[in-house]
Amino acid sequence: MSVLKVNLLLALLLFQSVQLYAQNKINFNADWSFQLEDSVQFTLSNYSTDHWRKLNLPHDWTIEKDFSNKFEGCTAFSPGGIGWYSKTFETPIQKEQKCFVVFDGVYNNAEFWVNGMKIGAHPYGYAPIYFDMTNYLHKDGTPNRIMVRVDHSRYADSRWYTGSGIYRNVHLVVTEDVLIPVWGTFVTTPKVTNTNATVDVKVDLLNTTREGVNSKIQLSIVDQQGAEVYQKEEAIQLHADGQETYQHSFEIQNPQLWGIDQPHLYQARIKLYNNGVLAQTENVTFGIRKLFFDKDKGFFLNDEPVKIKGVCLHHDAGLVGTAVPKDVWRQKLTLLKEGGCNAIRTSHNPASDEFLDLCDELGFLVQNEFYDEWDLPKDKRYNMHDKEVDYITRGHSEHFQKWAKTDLENTMLSSRNHPSIFQWSIGNEIEWTYPGNRGATGIFKETNKDDKIDWTLWRTEIPPHTPEEVKAFWRAFPEQTYNIGATAKKLADWTRALDTTRYVTANCILPTSSFETGYTDVLDVVGFSYKPHKYDYFKETYPHKVMMGTENVPRWYEWKAAVERDYIAGIFLWTGIDYLGERRNREWPLKATPHGLLDTAGFPRASFYMFKALWREDIPVINMYTQLAQKSIYKVNEEGVVVEKKKGYWELAPREWQEVNAHWNYEKGEKTIVEVYANCDEVELFQNGKSLGVQYLKDQEDYTYKWAVDFKKGKLEAKGKRNGEKASVSLQTVDEPFAIQIIADKTDLLSNDTDVVKLVAQLVDKKGKAVKYLEEEVTFEIEGLHRFLGTDAGDTRTIINYKHHSRETVNGQCLMMLQATENPSTVKVTAYAKNKQLGSNEVIININQNSTVEQ
């Protein structure tokens, strides 16, 4: 069993113990009712919701609807609306107890009622919120009802797909009147070495009674193997209506450090006793690790230099929309990890608690990002500044003044114990929204369009405006109501007031202006959006700042610029996975942004293998794609050498990868270009056993091996060596589709209403070889109790609803996802195509009641 599998198993056991041990936390996802309409009658305590749709949370109603060009491309041509959720439940508390309801995310403009009384509202769809329901609950045994109104009628209020509804988990927290409040614990590791670590535990305590209480804190620390490594008890006097903070520091000898390759986790188990009676248990999973950024040498984790190999991710996951089951994220994150990725930027909003749990377990660093807008709005249709003012595009900037501090603090309090988080990002490309930033840079005065591939990648040797010119511009610029530097300082101050153990950063799109407005002054790490050609200039001009790429084109030149400079801590590619939205209305039916290493279905693109070759230094990596010569970005020059059609293209290449094929099926004699992405020192290509020559990585300026090959039926094989270790990859000519092969990523699930199985259907020929050059519509048939999540093949232009059982393949493959319900069952899955002329194997999925399953 691999080290990663062992760590995952241990982490799973640890987290299962958390669920068993945390008796004060109650899952509140089951047995809700939903109605996609609006009425003032819904809040009335005697209104019947019996005819509403029954469902379990999380839920995204938008992903269930059809795509239409009547809607906006920015949010994937998908609708919003107003929806209501209702749940009836028994009072879970007794006298002298309190009950809180915690929502991890509701999109958006939500209002909350309990038993006909409004208990609160929350406009921001990405931050968590909780409410004290104690005084609203029935004390006479009458069932209670909670109602949530979600107003997403402004459906184009983000620049990407948002989803609609209660799309993240909900739980109750039950406590005594003397309690540890929601998110009231904080565990840090201020001093860490390989031989010992200082752990600091802070626990907020509230006494809501009118009498003093003799309390006791019992603290134990358990490692990932379940062994107790520390224990402490301490008495505390809590005054009437008082608040105290229990703080205790101690050392752990020979700690198991949390790292990228071995993400060891600990658990702080805290018991609160009041007057000798156990009142509350809190369980905090944390990691022991040391973070450090150096302005000249980059990033260090546990005193070891680490280059950040990051990707940006939006919060949707294709066919499930934004209500993403944990298993779906696990599938995608595991594949990114296999590709060498070690960091995630949550662009451009805070991540869910479950997502962060997975990053803790799998060993990802996380830059958790707060906002895409501050004081002023962005134009949702064209990015940049706000050009059009209409109802449906009004975003969070309208609520920023009132809610920014609350949302930022709730995000931090709820997620600050996750060891994966190493940076807090206060904003993304905020400069567009504040008047003057474009003009201050001088970039938008350039008239030579050939000098840059687009407005983000300006490539003059020095910026159009010097720092002195930028300063002069701002001195002459009229005073504005909102100042970007002042708002940045406010956000950074709020962040540091809650946590000084992580670094504050932001993604700067117009840094020459931001360096002179006070914006970057408040950042611990300055993040650059698409500026690899300016790293040296910024280092020379602002030598005392820590710098890194926070949004980067998924191309070799971006990584090359970072890896050649120790002072650039790393990069975050745009993006790790395709995401819905951020399209223009004129681009219909293009509903998703196709720049990811993985497509919306989670299938790897060629760019995935390029970056696997760049990022995996521990193993030899080799992969191969082909293309017709007339469609290729390469050509054969007069000397017979394969070169770029446009010289230097590799330094200007766009976000979207060139069109290449994962097959070897062409017409006889057709001229093709073969591209091999490998970290091997040398690669030799063979056609039907005949060598077509050896090439060396040192000679590949664009880090791509390439051969011109006339097509013949048979086999292409590339063989490589890295440090003496061999690796190979092959493509073979295949026949027409003969059948469909279905492969499941697991065959045993728990009947827990959460587990997910991914089933990939691949067209194959008579010999069982994958057919990737022809496409067919595949229809899935399912027997047994299950929850159907949808189908996908990664085609960003397909506008068929994800909830269809049929899907046209891409590269001869498509997928379907099923989720377990609370009922045990045996599920049988088959598929067919071409009016059942093509059939499939039968896959059996066992959904059982065991506490664990073996894979």
Side-chain angles (χ1 to χ4, degrees):
M1 188 178 290
S2 69
V3 172
L4 177 59
K5 288 182 178 178
V6 170
N7 284 332
L8 288 175
L9 178 59
L10 291 171
L12 177 62
L13 293 174
L14 178 64
F15 276 86
Q16 285 177 340
S17 69
V18 170
Q19 297 304 315
L20 293 172
Y21 199 80
Q23 300 299 320
N24 298 88
K25 187 174 178 179
I26 302 170
N27 187 300
F28 206 54
N29 285 336
D31 302 322
W32 288 74
S33 299
F34 171 71
Q35 188 77 355
L36 188 57
E37 63 175 318
D38 192 25
S39 170
V40 294
Q41 303 297 316
F42 293 169
T43 62
L44 300 179
S45 58
N46 61 352
Y47 178 82
S48 174
T49 61
D50 291 346
H51 62 289
W52 288 14
R53 174 185 169 190
K54 311 305 178 188
L55 53 75
N56 292 348
L57 303 177
H59 174 237
D60 172 7
W61 80 67
T62 291
I63 202 65
E64 301 169 349
K65 304 301 179 182
D66 290 336
F67 300 103
S68 171
N69 58 5
K70 295 186 300 183
F71 304 120
E72 295 290 331
C74 56
T75 45
F77 301 103
S78 58
I82 299 176
W84 281 78
Y85 294 86
S86 174
K87 180 180 171 73
T88 300
F89 62 103
E90 299 297 325
T91 298
I93 59 174
Q94 300 174 354
K95 188 179 181 181
E96 298 180 350
Q97 285 188 317
K98 302 180 77 66
C99 181
F100 304 87
V101 60
V102 184
F103 293 87
D104 197 32
V106 183
Y107 205 90
N108 64 345
N109 296 308
E111 299 172 271
F112 306 85
W113 283 263
V114 173
N115 295 328
M117 300 293 290
K118 187 172 182 179
I119 63 171
H122 189 218
Y124 193 42
Y126 299 119
I129 192 79
Y130 73 89
F131 301 98
D132 185 350
M133 296 196 298
T134 306
N135 294 330
Y136 301 93
L137 299 178
H138 292 307
K139 308 298 191 294
D140 59 0
T142 304
N144 303 282
R145 184 163 71 184
I146 184 170
M147 303 283 286
V148 182
R149 181 180 187 266
V150 182
D151 183 357
H152 195 204
S153 54
R154 296 179 173 186
Y155 68 91
D157 58 357
S158 271
R159 299 183 300 109
W160 56 85
Y161 178 86
T162 64
S164 305
I166 307 178
Y167 71 101
R168 292 181 181 176
N169 290 319
V170 184
H171 64 268
L172 300 183
V173 174
V174 174
T175 72
E176 304 299 321
D177 283 349
V178 180
L179 68 145
I180 302 169
V182 175
W183 308 326
T185 57
F186 190 21
V187 181
T188 59
T189 56
K191 295 181 181 179
V192 176
T193 69
N194 289 327
T195 57
N196 61 76
T198 300
V199 179
D200 187 34
V201 177
K202 293 181 181 178
V203 183
D204 292 335
L205 299 168
L206 292 178
N207 180 4
T208 64
T209 72
R210 296 180 179 179
E211 298 179 356
V213 176
N214 295 317
S215 295
K216 180 179 70 175
I217 290 286
Q218 184 182 87
L219 168 68
S220 65
I221 305 296
V222 178
D223 67 18
Q224 194 156 279
Q225 290 73 36
E228 186 177 75
V229 298
Y230 184 81
Q231 198 274 335
K232 172 75 173 180
E233 289 188 5
E234 188 168 341
I236 300 174
Q237 294 288 327
L238 293 178
H239 300 290
D241 294 314
Q243 179 175 345
E244 299 286 343
T245 298
Y246 166 79
Q247 183 168 353
H248 180 61
S249 295
F250 54 94
E251 286 196 353
I252 292 179
Q253 302 300 316
N254 301 313
Q256 301 177 65
L257 302 185
W258 185 92
I260 292 167
D261 298 320
Q262 293 185 317
H264 294 292
L265 296 170
Y266 286 82
Q267 187 183 117
R269 295 179 174 177
I270 301 158
K271 291 185 178 181
L272 171 65
Y273 291 84
N274 295 326
N275 295 325
V277 179
L278 178 62
Q280 189 172 346
T281 60
E282 286 287 310
N283 301 280
V284 177
T285 300
F286 69 99
I288 297 175
R289 83 285 189 270
K290 180 180 180 180
L291 309 173
F292 181 66
F293 279 89
D294 182 271
K295 65 182 178 63
D296 298 315
K297 298 179 180 179
F299 175 65
F300 291 78
L301 178 62
N302 301 327
D303 293 322
E304 296 291 330
V306 173
K307 209 72 168 179
I308 295 164
K309 303 169 181 176
V311 299
C312 301
L313 291 182
H314 271 296
H315 75 144
D316 76 275
L319 63 88
V320 294
T322 56
V324 188
K326 191 173 183 178
D327 272 358
V328 174
W329 275 131
R330 186 186 299 277
Q331 294 160 4
K332 296 176 187 295
L333 290 174
T334 299
L335 186 53
L336 288 173
K337 190 77 174 181
E338 179 189 318
C341 176
N342 63 21
I344 305 294
R345 174 182 170 223
T346 67
S347 48
H348 304 293
N349 46 264
S352 71
D353 194 54
E354 274 193 336
F355 182 91
L356 295 172
D357 283 343
L358 282 170
C359 292
D360 294 342
E361 297 171 34
L362 295 172
F364 284 98
L365 298 162
V366 175
Q367 180 189 112
N368 211 20
E369 193 155 80
F370 298 137
Y371 300 113
D372 188 54
E373 292 181 340
W374 291 351
D375 301 298
L376 301 167
K378 287 182 181 176
D379 178 7
K380 310 308 185 297
R381 299 183 177 98
Y382 291 96
N383 202 1
M384 297 198 195
H385 59 296
D386 191 44
K387 296 178 183 176
E388 301 173 72
V389 178
D390 55 5
Y391 180 80
I392 62 170
T393 64
R394 296 303 85 209
H396 186 64
S397 63
E398 292 191 351
H399 306 287
F400 184 80
Q401 300 301 321
K402 179 179 178 180
W403 281 94
K405 189 172 189 289
T406 296
D407 290 330
L408 182 149
E409 289 180 345
N410 284 359
T411 295
M412 293 184 66
L413 291 171
S414 66
S415 60
R416 59 185 174 173
N417 290 306
H418 289 281
S420 53
I421 297 178
F422 78 129
Q423 291 178 322
W424 302 109
S425 172
I426 60 175
N428 168 63
E429 296 187 2
I430 296 295
E431 296 100 322
W432 293 133
T433 64
Y434 288 82
N437 278 289
R438 290 176 297 283
T441 65
I443 298 169
F444 295 90
K445 294 180 181 179
E446 290 182 308
T447 57
N448 181 7
K449 295 182 180 179
D450 296 329
D451 187 51
K452 56 185 183 298
I453 195 165
D454 63 24
W455 45 258
T456 64
L457 303 176
W458 42 284
R459 298 171 187 279
T460 51
E461 288 188 12
I462 60 173
H465 282 179
T466 66
E468 290 70 25
E469 290 174 310
V470 175
K471 291 174 184 175
F473 175 93
W474 282 115
R475 283 195 296 269
F477 198 75
E479 184 176 349
Q480 302 292 303
T481 302
Y482 299 113
N483 178 281
I484 190 172
T487 300
K489 183 179 185 306
K490 180 170 61 177
L491 293 170
D493 287 347
W494 291 341
T495 304
R496 293 188 179 100
L498 287 180
D499 183 14
T500 58
T501 70
R502 276 96 166 187
Y503 290 78
V504 178
T505 188
N507 184 43
C508 298
I509 185 66
L510 303 174
T512 51
S513 179
S514 293
F515 273 113
E516 306 303 333
T517 59
Y519 186 1
T520 61
D521 293 347
V522 305
L523 304 179
D524 301 314
V525 179
V526 178
F528 296 126
S529 195
Y530 309 110
K531 299 294 180 292
H533 299 83
K534 295 295 168 289
Y535 290 158
D536 291 339
Y537 166 81
F538 288 129
K539 180 61 176 174
E540 180 181 352
T541 309
Y542 307 98
H544 300 299
K545 296 301 293 186
V546 178
M547 303 174 181
M548 66 176 294
T550 41
E551 195 163 315
N552 305 80
V553 174
R555 291 286 182 172
W556 156 232
Y557 71 81
E558 287 271 21
W559 181 242
K560 183 175 186 291
V563 80
E564 290 177 348
R565 294 163 175 82
D566 289 343
Y567 63 85
I568 295 296
I571 65 174
F572 285 98
L573 300 179
W574 191 265
T575 54
I577 306 174
D578 286 359
Y579 59 97
L580 296 171
E582 202 166 359
R583 307 317 310 160
R584 311 298 178 237
N585 289 358
R586 66 176 182 273
E587 295 172 326
W588 167 266
L590 182 60
K591 68 181 185 301
T593 300
H595 302 154
L597 304 185
L598 310 178
D599 63 27
T600 55
F603 295 141
R605 282 204 175 86
S607 53
F608 171 85
Y609 294 105
M610 167 60 85
F611 273 88
K612 185 175 181 179
L614 294 171
W615 285 351
R616 288 297 298 268
E617 300 170 3
D618 56 327
I619 59 171
V621 175
I622 187 167
N623 212 279
M624 177 164 52
Y625 286 80
T626 67
Q627 183 53 278
L628 291 170
Q630 68 263 30
K631 291 185 177 181
S632 175
I633 63 172
Y634 298 106
K635 66 179 182 179
V636 180
N637 67 11
E638 295 177 355
E639 289 77 34
V641 178
V642 180
V643 298
E644 295 175 313
K645 287 179 179 176
K646 181 179 180 180
K647 183 176 175 55
Y649 175 83
W650 70 273
E651 294 183 286
L652 299 168
R655 299 174 180 89
E656 195 166 346
W657 201 257
Q658 62 264 24
E659 183 184 349
V660 288
N661 302 314
H663 64 73
W664 187 233
N665 275 75
Y666 298 97
E667 296 296 323
K668 183 178 179 180
E670 280 191 310
K671 297 186 179 300
T672 73
I673 300 295
V674 176
E675 298 181 28
V676 174
Y677 315 127
N679 61 6
C680 299
D681 305 313
E682 61 181 71
V683 173
E684 186 172 10
L685 184 67
F686 296 85
Q687 184 178 24
N688 298 334
K690 179 183 177 181
S691 176
L692 300 185
V694 179
Q695 295 184 20
Y696 300 91
L697 189 58
K698 62 181 177 63
D699 300 326
Q700 314 306 320
E701 188 179 32
D702 61 354
Y703 211 89
T704 301
Y705 291 95
K706 42 207 171 287
W707 284 264
V709 183
D710 292 344
F711 176 74
K712 298 176 186 176
K713 285 186 177 181
K715 180 180 180 180
L716 277 182
E717 185 172 22
K719 297 182 179 180
K721 295 180 182 177
R722 177 180 171 86
N723 299 326
E725 190 175 351
K726 297 179 180 180
S728 65
V729 63
S730 63
L731 294 175
Q732 288 184 274
T733 308
V734 299
D735 296 324
E736 292 185 351
F738 177 76
I740 301 167
Q741 182 182 38
I742 304 176
I743 298 177
D745 69 334
K746 63 183 76 170
T747 54
D748 290 278
L749 280 65
L750 295 178
S751 54
N752 57 8
D753 207 50
T754 58
D755 280 9
V756 173
V757 57
K758 178 177 76 172
L759 300 111
V760 176
Q762 174 69 60
L763 303 176
V764 295
D765 67 8
K766 284 184 178 181
K767 297 179 181 179
K769 297 175 184 175
V771 176
K772 298 185 177 182
Y773 73 100
L774 286 176
E775 311 303 344
E776 297 287 352
E777 183 177 82
V778 171
T779 300
F780 292 91
E781 294 186 319
I782 314 157
E783 297 177 13
L785 299 174
H786 68 281
R787 181 176 296 112
F788 177 74
L789 295 181
T791 59
D792 191 13
D795 186 346
T796 53
R797 292 183 178 273
T798 297
I799 57 172
I800 296 173
N801 190 295
Y802 283 124
K803 304 309 175 183
H804 282 218
H805 282 67
S806 298
R807 185 68 47 179
E808 185 173 16
T809 62
V810 174
N811 295 320
Q813 65 180 352
C814 61
L815 69 80
M816 176 184 66
M817 288 186 180
L818 301 179
Q819 189 172 39
T821 68
E822 66 277 6
N823 300 307
S825 182
T826 298
V827 177
K828 182 175 76 173
V829 178
T830 56
Y832 66 86
K834 298 183 71 171
N835 294 320
K836 297 196 174 182
Q837 294 178 40
L838 299 181
S840 78
N841 58 313
E842 179 180 283
V843 175
I844 301 296
I845 308 297
N846 298 305
I847 303 176
N848 57 73
Q849 289 181 310
N850 295 335
S851 59
T852 60
V853 294
E854 288 206 16
Q855 298 297 337

